Structures are given as C-alpha cells and as structure tokens.
Amino acid sequence: MKAKAARVVFGMGIVLIVLLNIFLLNPEALRAQDATAALSGTVTDHTGRVLPDVRVTVKNLATGQSADTQTNSDGIYTVSNLASGDYEVSVLAAEGAITVPATLTAGASQKVDLVLNATLPSTEAPPAATPPAPAEVLPEAPSPQKTEPSLEDLGFSKTDTQSNAAQQALLDKRTRMLRIHQRMGLITTIPLVATVILGPGAGGKSEGTATRDLHVALGSLTGDLYGITAWYAIRAPRIKGTEKRGPIRFHEAMAWIHGPGMILTPILGALAFEQKNNGEKVHGIASLHGPVAIVTAGAFGAALLSVSVKF
C-alpha cells in the first residue's frame, strides 16, 4: 500500500512539474494569454487633408463597449489595450462621417485609415411606398399638437445639432435637463396654485387651524419642488455660441423675479404664522407675505407659459 501511494504521489508531482514548466517557465505562453491588440490610422477628409482633434470611437461588437480617442496634429489616432474580436470604427465631424468594420487579433496592431464623406449622412427615413392610413383618433386620446418646447424654443439653432460628437453629447444632456426642468415646473404649479388659493383663509387665531396648516404644508411642498426644478436649469451644461431667442430671454428675466420670491415668501410666511398664532394682527415686514407670494406666483406662471406656448 505504501508503494502504491508513493507511485500516486510521484505521478502527481510529474504532472505539477509539467504544468509549472508550461505556465511559469514559458513566458511566451503567459504573454499570449495577456496579449491585447492595438488599432491606429489616419483620418482625412474627401480631399485628402488630415483632420486633427477629431473624435474617433472604437466599439466592440461582441460586448458593446466603446473606447474614444482624438487624432493628433497629424490626423493620426491610436487605441491600444483592445481585446481581439470584431469592431466598428466611427468618426462624426463637421467634415463628414464614416463607420468601418475592423477585426483585431491578439498581440497584433492593425491600421485602419478613415476618409470622411463630403457631407454628413442623412438622418431622414426614406419615403414609404404607400402612405399609411390615418389612425383613428379616440375621444380620450391626447391632442397631437405639440405643447412641450422644441430645441429651437430652448435656444438652439439647427446647426447646433450637427457639430462633432462631443458637442452633440453635451447638447443632448442640456436638452434632457431643460425638458425635465419644464416638466418639474408644470408639477410645481399644482401646489403653488393651491397655496395661493388657501392664502386668504389661512388667518385664524388658533395654531391648529386646518386651513392654515394645509397652507403651510402646500407652501413647503411648493418650495421643495421649485428647488428641484431650479436645479435642473442651473446644472444644465452651457453651449457656447447658443443664440437666446425672445421667449428664452423672457423666461430667464422672470426667473430673476420668482427665484428670490420663492426664498422670501416662506420666510415672510413664517413670521406671519407666528404673529397669527400669538393672536396678533400681521404687521411689519410679515405683512408683505401675501403681495410677495402673488408676484412670485405670477412671475413663475409667466415664465412657464413663455416656453410652453409659441409666440
């Protein structure tokens, strides 16, 4: 039994030595496992002129992951540390656009030159052979008329959407945030109007007055929603060279009125609330709570209408 066990141990030792020799004593095998591919090339326009500072995107078709780089002053791009497989190499610039396939092999470097088209590819769908029949409009269906602002309503010209990929991504982010800003503004209008309506009936002597408590609760909710609404407008990326049209200028002018008003109104309301609870008549600066709230609500409504209704 001892001899048999010794032979088993000896055989396992031989296998271990062979494996160590393959994976530890053969560095070429290790390098083959960790080898990655590289991709490079030159980007030119249709006339042969090299294009510096152009964004190049390399997308792995198997994983969907993308890697971005930019061409240098000689129009040359390089992307390293890529896994082997099939890729798409894309460029979108003012001089044109192109997407070409590429297959990378581990440990190898492949060169793919990109020549941009004379014009950007059309994004319009080809006309249908037979126009579809008009859909039946249900009685409860929403109106097909567009009420939310378009890109032009938000201050963007048509040429702003045909810039390079980086500018396009920045434009898309700003558009999304401003549209959320507008929708949050519409939601904020609901408790704001309710707060203004309940304002005249919120003046009782008892602290437990239901109308007054509801007025305070709706005012607090309005302030919270307004803060979220303003955050999306303030944090939206700025686009250099964007032309601000009449409605946008008016919208921003109204913001300088309802913005401070949204801060001052709850402060004055708290002072008025305390005076009423003490059985006093609202006096001093607290008496401005009502007028400031009305002016604030009016400016907020005007700002909302300026980007919701075309004029």
Side-chain angles (χ1 to χ4, degrees), residues 205-284:
K205 294 184 178 180
S206 173
E207 185 176 358
T209 302
T211 303
R212 186 191 308 164
D213 292 341
L214 181 59
H215 175 76
V216 173
L218 289 173
S220 300
L221 177 60
T222 302
D224 294 339
L225 293 175
Y226 179 83
I228 298 174
T229 304
W231 184 89
Y232 278 98
I234 295 172
R235 297 296 298 174
R238 305 295 176 183
I239 308 296
K240 293 183 179 180
T242 300
E243 179 183 359
K244 295 182 180 179
R245 306 179 64 183
I248 299 300
R249 292 181 179 178
F250 181 80
H251 182 81
E252 292 186 351
M254 290 296 99
W256 287 103
I257 299 177
H258 62 67
M262 284 291 186
I263 299 175
L264 188 59
T265 299
I267 297 176
L268 297 176
L271 295 176
F273 183 80
E274 182 178 1
Q275 292 174 1
K276 278 291 185 180
N277 287 342
N278 292 334
E280 304 174 10
K281 183 179 180 180
V282 177
H283 60 276

Side-chain angles (χ1 to χ4, degrees), residues 126-149:
T130 303
E136 181 181 358
V137 180
L138 299 177
E140 303 260 337
S143 172
Q145 184 178 2
K146 184 177 181 181
T147 57
E148 67 179 18

